[in-house]
Amino acid sequence: INAEYMGEPAEGSVMAAIDSSMRQYIQMKVVLSVLLGTISFVILWFLQVDCAVVLGMLTCLANFIPNVGSVIALALPLPLVLLNPLLAPEAKILAFALPFAAHFIVGNFVDPKFIGEAVDLHPVVILLSLILWALLWGIAGMILAVPVMAVLRLALLEMGTAPTTVIARALEGHLFGSDSA
């Protein structure tokens, strides 16, 4: 352990940029995951689905996996909902449709806005990195895909050479020197 590094990294350093980016990412991911977990819990509890608390917590945890986590979270309550003879058909439909709407709104509008600002990665890069890291490390890779790519982008920018800057800009979604994503 480096005895000189006791606390915050020096202002303006690559470590400070990484620290700031990771803090923003984790804070936003926690807030959005808790939000979705709470919304799912309230919907399922209101519809009287068994294990609503557990399903809400699992939704919160699954949301830490970009893109795929929402699918997992939506699939988890399906057996409990579909096989419950006490739930009305309307409740069964709402138990899927309302969480789907919440995931759709958060996943397509809120998450990209706040997470994208925190890590400055293009959504396609996030999806492709999710696939790559999932193949390499499984579920852990899926959870770590965005932070690893964000750190890689910052490290490439820090190197400051023409090739590394081009790669970093491509990760941001700026291809061929354009400023639009």
Side-chain angles (χ1 to χ4, degrees):
I1 297 176
N2 185 351
E4 294 174 351
Y5 180 74
M6 302 295 275
E8 298 296 317
E11 188 70 30
S13 70
V14 69
M15 289 304 294
I18 290 171
D19 184 61
S20 173
S21 179
M22 290 304 98
R23 283 178 194 258
Q24 286 179 320
Y25 173 75
I26 291 169
Q27 288 170 347
M28 290 312 307
K29 204 61 178 168
V30 166
V31 167
L32 293 174
S33 295
V34 169
L35 174 70
L36 270 175
T38 303
I39 290 170
S40 293
F41 158 70
V42 168
I43 291 168
L44 295 174
W45 174 78
F46 181 75
L47 295 171
Q48 299 177 344
V49 173
D50 294 333
C51 303
V53 172
V54 173
L55 292 169
M57 290 189 306
L58 290 174
T59 296
C60 177
L61 293 175
N63 194 54
F64 279 92
I65 301 172
N67 305 333
V68 179
S70 291
V71 174
I72 294 168
L74 289 171
L76 286 173
L78 285 181
L80 292 173
V81 170
L82 295 176
L83 299 175
N84 187 343
L86 300 176
L87 285 178
E90 298 83 15
K92 290 180 180 185
I93 292 169
L94 289 174
F96 178 73
L98 294 176
F100 177 83
H103 281 274
F104 182 82
I105 291 167
V106 171
N108 289 306
F109 302 106
V110 179
D111 201 319
K113 169 79 172 131
F114 293 107
I115 298 298
E117 286 178 4
V119 296
D120 203 12
L121 292 171
H122 194 274
V124 173
V125 170
I126 291 174
L127 185 60
L128 292 175
S129 68
L130 178 68
I131 294 167
L132 169 70
W133 292 108
L135 290 172
L136 293 174
W137 291 344
I139 292 174
M142 295 170 85
I143 293 169
L144 294 173
V146 173
V148 166
M149 294 307 290
V151 169
L152 176 63
R153 183 190 68 80
L154 291 169
L156 290 169
L157 283 173
E158 179 65 19
M159 289 178 196
T161 66
T164 60
T165 301
V166 168
I167 294 169
R169 299 279 293 154
L171 292 175
E172 297 167 358
H174 305 289
L175 297 175
F176 309 115
S178 70
D179 286 334
S180 62

